[in-house]
Amino acid sequence: MNKSIYTAALLVIAAFTNIQAQDFNPKPFPDRVILTWKGNTAVTQTVTWRTDTTIAGAKAQIKAEDSSPALEEAITAYDADSRVLPGGQNYATAKYHSVTFNNLKPGTVYAYRVGAGEYWSEWFQFTTASADQNKPFSFIYLGDAQNDIRSKWSRVIRKAFAHEPDARFIIHTGDLINRSNNDQEWGEWHYGGGFINGMVPSMPSPGNHEYVRDDKRKLILDPHWGLQYTLPGNGPKGLEESVYYIDYQNVRLISLDSQMIILDEASAKAEYEWLEKVLKENTKLWTVITFHHPIFSTAKSRDNKDFRERFKPLFDKYHIDLVLQGHDHTYSRGQNLPRGLSGREASGPVYLVSVAGPKMYKVDGAKWMNVSLENTQLFQVVHVDGGNLKFEAYKTSGELFDAFSLKKSSRDHAAEFIDMNPAAKQ
């Protein structure tokens, strides 16, 4: 072979064998645009985004959507709160910016964009919660993303959005990434959600993979978390970034930090006392709690007995309706049936475990489960319509796998459960 051709061939081979990961470094243009809530869901909306450190004076602009292309006219501008995330071993220093739009009108579509100078995002839309507490709405629930996020999880959140494009928020039950403080993985997570994150607010709960221990063995939450998710901050002292509640119309949604409950006694006590107060003061008809580690596991070796024995009595006492969990990388649905009885406990919630990413575990036959599934990526949709709630679990193909409904007339009583599993009808 001609020496020059041989050399060229080696260079081509070298180029292909040294392909670098996708470039997720920050740039002047906004990226990782994501909606959350810091305040009242009917009259506020919070947006957070990232740029490189050259951007000063970041802003967000908003107007009620009127379908006109003259979006730059009659806008309201907000100055952003900006904070720096110092660079790590494998990623660059970045700036995270956040704005909370306020004095919005309930049940209204708004258009907004974020940026500074010549560097602006596209215009996004969102819809505020209705002032009518009983107006129907839906939300999406996703279990762990964790591994192969860009490659294999992206299609799940996109299929969920395609199936329920008017969903009002998305609950993520922890382990959104695999390695704490890995900016590449966070880049994949934001890439997967893409414009969906900028239009449908997120409600994230941290999992064990969002934590790492420092030199003194203290549990540390990924520094990305508090910068990219601007949350209500109404949790117990020291846990404001990961424990919170949000009211959406007639539903109270509560996020717990199960990693800290399981591994830190002081945090477990603080979360319990906080949760009891939040439940006692609750005036909403429906109550949904979400966290990462299931209190009823699909695997005997992963049982969280102490967590269950401490918190389950609260769930029963205050008639929690749904407990949405992740961690076990399977699907399971159960009603905590006492052995020998038909029908669920009068006061107990429906417990769900699900997985959206490709990492899979086995179900070993734990007796609390009524429905289970292995080796399947799923998304879930919850519909709320006054005193009726419908839960649907879908395979990534779009096939309905599991469903049930709840009927409720008072928050002081448990909901009536109706099984709608497609297999049960055959």
Side-chain angles (χ1 to χ4, degrees), residues 282-302:
N282 183 20
T283 61
K284 302 299 182 181
L285 178 63
W286 299 100
T287 307
V288 177
I289 293 184
T290 179
F291 47 83
H292 184 61
H293 300 77
I295 66 169
F296 291 98
S297 178
T298 62
K300 294 176 182 177
S301 62
R302 298 165 68 85

Short mmCIF file of all heavy atoms in Angstrom, two decimals, residues 282-302:
data_model
loop_
_atom_site.label_atom_id
_atom_site.label_comp_id
_atom_site.label_asym_id
_atom_site.label_seq_id
_atom_site.Cartn_x
_atom_site.Cartn_y
_atom_site.Cartn_z
N ASN A 282 -53.24 20.53 55.26
CA ASN A 282 -53.69 20.35 53.88
C ASN A 282 -55.20 20.53 53.76
O ASN A 282 -55.98 19.94 54.52
CB ASN A 282 -53.31 18.95 53.40
CG ASN A 282 -53.66 18.70 51.95
OD1 ASN A 282 -53.85 19.64 51.18
ND2 ASN A 282 -53.75 17.43 51.59
N THR A 283 -55.64 21.32 52.79
CA THR A 283 -57.06 21.51 52.52
C THR A 283 -57.48 20.96 51.16
O THR A 283 -58.63 21.10 50.76
CB THR A 283 -57.43 23.01 52.58
OG1 THR A 283 -56.69 23.71 51.57
CG2 THR A 283 -57.12 23.59 53.95
N LYS A 284 -56.55 20.34 50.45
CA LYS A 284 -56.84 19.84 49.11
C LYS A 284 -57.53 18.48 49.17
O LYS A 284 -57.33 17.70 50.11
CB LYS A 284 -55.55 19.73 48.29
CG LYS A 284 -54.80 21.05 48.15
CD LYS A 284 -55.64 22.12 47.45
CE LYS A 284 -54.88 23.42 47.27
NZ LYS A 284 -55.70 24.45 46.61
N LEU A 285 -58.34 18.19 48.16
CA LEU A 285 -59.06 16.92 48.12
C LEU A 285 -58.11 15.75 47.92
O LEU A 285 -58.21 14.71 48.60
CB LEU A 285 -60.09 16.94 46.99
CG LEU A 285 -60.90 15.65 46.80
CD1 LEU A 285 -61.75 15.34 48.03
CD2 LEU A 285 -61.78 15.76 45.54
N TRP A 286 -57.16 15.90 46.99
CA TRP A 286 -56.24 14.82 46.65
C TRP A 286 -54.85 15.11 47.21
O TRP A 286 -54.41 16.26 47.22
CB TRP A 286 -56.13 14.67 45.13
CG TRP A 286 -57.42 14.32 44.45
CD1 TRP A 286 -58.25 15.18 43.79
CD2 TRP A 286 -58.03 13.03 44.37
NE1 TRP A 286 -59.34 14.50 43.30
CE2 TRP A 286 -59.23 13.17 43.64
CE3 TRP A 286 -57.67 11.76 44.83
CZ2 TRP A 286 -60.08 12.10 43.35
CZ3 TRP A 286 -58.51 10.69 44.56
CH2 TRP A 286 -59.69 10.85 43.83
N THR A 287 -54.17 14.05 47.63
CA THR A 287 -52.80 14.19 48.11
C THR A 287 -51.92 13.12 47.45
O THR A 287 -52.23 11.92 47.53
CB THR A 287 -52.71 14.04 49.64
OG1 THR A 287 -53.63 14.94 50.25
CG2 THR A 287 -51.30 14.35 50.13
N VAL A 288 -50.84 13.57 46.82
CA VAL A 288 -49.89 12.69 46.15
C VAL A 288 -48.52 12.91 46.77
O VAL A 288 -48.07 14.06 46.88
CB VAL A 288 -49.84 12.97 44.63
CG1 VAL A 288 -48.79 12.10 43.96
CG2 VAL A 288 -51.22 12.75 44.00
N ILE A 289 -47.86 11.83 47.18
CA ILE A 289 -46.51 11.92 47.73
C ILE A 289 -45.55 11.20 46.79
O ILE A 289 -45.87 10.12 46.27
CB ILE A 289 -46.44 11.31 49.14
CG1 ILE A 289 -47.26 12.17 50.12
CG2 ILE A 289 -44.99 11.22 49.63
CD1 ILE A 289 -47.18 11.72 51.56
N THR A 290 -44.40 11.79 46.56
CA THR A 290 -43.40 11.17 45.69
C THR A 290 -42.03 11.19 46.36
O THR A 290 -41.68 12.13 47.07
CB THR A 290 -43.35 11.89 44.32
OG1 THR A 290 -42.35 11.29 43.50
CG2 THR A 290 -43.03 13.37 44.47
N PHE A 291 -41.29 10.12 46.18
CA PHE A 291 -39.91 9.99 46.65
C PHE A 291 -39.27 8.83 45.93
O PHE A 291 -39.94 8.13 45.14
CB PHE A 291 -39.85 9.82 48.17
CG PHE A 291 -40.80 8.80 48.73
CD1 PHE A 291 -40.49 7.46 48.74
CD2 PHE A 291 -42.01 9.19 49.27
CE1 PHE A 291 -41.36 6.51 49.24
CE2 PHE A 291 -42.90 8.26 49.78
CZ PHE A 291 -42.57 6.91 49.78
N HIS A 292 -38.00 8.57 46.20
CA HIS A 292 -37.24 7.61 45.40
C HIS A 292 -37.35 6.16 45.88
O HIS A 292 -37.77 5.28 45.14
CB HIS A 292 -35.78 8.03 45.34
CG HIS A 292 -34.93 7.16 44.46
ND1 HIS A 292 -35.17 7.02 43.10
CD2 HIS A 292 -33.86 6.37 44.74
CE1 HIS A 292 -34.28 6.19 42.59
NE2 HIS A 292 -33.47 5.78 43.56
N HIS A 293 -36.96 5.88 47.11
CA HIS A 293 -36.90 4.50 47.61
C HIS A 293 -38.29 3.99 47.99
O HIS A 293 -38.94 4.59 48.86
CB HIS A 293 -36.01 4.42 48.85
CG HIS A 293 -34.60 4.84 48.62
ND1 HIS A 293 -34.22 6.17 48.53
CD2 HIS A 293 -33.46 4.11 48.49
CE1 HIS A 293 -32.92 6.24 48.34
NE2 HIS A 293 -32.42 5.01 48.31
N PRO A 294 -38.76 2.90 47.42
CA PRO A 294 -40.10 2.40 47.76
C PRO A 294 -40.17 1.92 49.21
O PRO A 294 -39.25 1.26 49.69
CB PRO A 294 -40.31 1.23 46.80
CG PRO A 294 -39.29 1.40 45.72
CD PRO A 294 -38.13 2.09 46.37
N ILE A 295 -41.27 2.23 49.88
CA ILE A 295 -41.41 1.68 51.23
C ILE A 295 -41.90 0.23 51.17
O ILE A 295 -41.74 -0.51 52.14
CB ILE A 295 -42.32 2.54 52.12
CG1 ILE A 295 -43.77 2.54 51.63
CG2 ILE A 295 -41.79 3.95 52.22
CD1 ILE A 295 -44.71 3.16 52.65
N PHE A 296 -42.48 -0.16 50.04
CA PHE A 296 -42.73 -1.57 49.72
C PHE A 296 -41.93 -1.87 48.46
O PHE A 296 -42.23 -1.36 47.40
CB PHE A 296 -44.21 -1.85 49.48
CG PHE A 296 -45.07 -1.75 50.70
CD1 PHE A 296 -45.79 -0.61 50.97
CD2 PHE A 296 -45.16 -2.82 51.59
CE1 PHE A 296 -46.59 -0.51 52.10
CE2 PHE A 296 -45.96 -2.73 52.73
CZ PHE A 296 -46.67 -1.57 52.99
N SER A 297 -40.90 -2.69 48.58
CA SER A 297 -40.00 -2.94 47.46
C SER A 297 -40.46 -4.13 46.64
O SER A 297 -41.17 -5.02 47.12
CB SER A 297 -38.58 -3.20 47.99
OG SER A 297 -37.70 -3.48 46.93
N THR A 298 -40.02 -4.16 45.38
CA THR A 298 -40.30 -5.31 44.53
C THR A 298 -39.25 -6.40 44.71
O THR A 298 -39.35 -7.46 44.08
CB THR A 298 -40.34 -4.88 43.05
OG1 THR A 298 -39.06 -4.36 42.68
CG2 THR A 298 -41.40 -3.83 42.81
N ALA A 299 -38.25 -6.16 45.55
CA ALA A 299 -37.20 -7.16 45.82
C ALA A 299 -37.00 -7.28 47.32
O ALA A 299 -36.85 -6.27 48.02
CB ALA A 299 -35.89 -6.76 45.15
N LYS A 300 -36.97 -8.48 47.83
CA LYS A 300 -36.83 -8.70 49.27
C LYS A 300 -35.54 -8.10 49.81
O LYS A 300 -35.49 -7.62 50.93
CB LYS A 300 -36.88 -10.20 49.57
CG LYS A 300 -38.23 -10.85 49.26
CD LYS A 300 -38.17 -12.35 49.48
CE LYS A 300 -39.49 -13.00 49.13
NZ LYS A 300 -39.45 -14.47 49.26
N SER A 301 -34.49 -8.12 49.01
CA SER A 301 -33.20 -7.63 49.46
C SER A 301 -33.13 -6.11 49.52
O SER A 301 -32.17 -5.55 50.04
CB SER A 301 -32.09 -8.14 48.52
OG SER A 301 -32.30 -7.64 47.20
N ARG A 302 -34.15 -5.42 49.00
CA ARG A 302 -34.15 -3.95 48.96
C ARG A 302 -35.26 -3.37 49.85
O ARG A 302 -35.64 -2.22 49.69
CB ARG A 302 -34.32 -3.49 47.52
CG ARG A 302 -33.19 -3.93 46.61
CD ARG A 302 -33.55 -3.79 45.14
NE ARG A 302 -33.69 -2.42 44.71
CZ ARG A 302 -32.68 -1.64 44.32
NH1 ARG A 302 -31.45 -2.12 44.33
NH2 ARG A 302 -32.89 -0.40 43.93
#
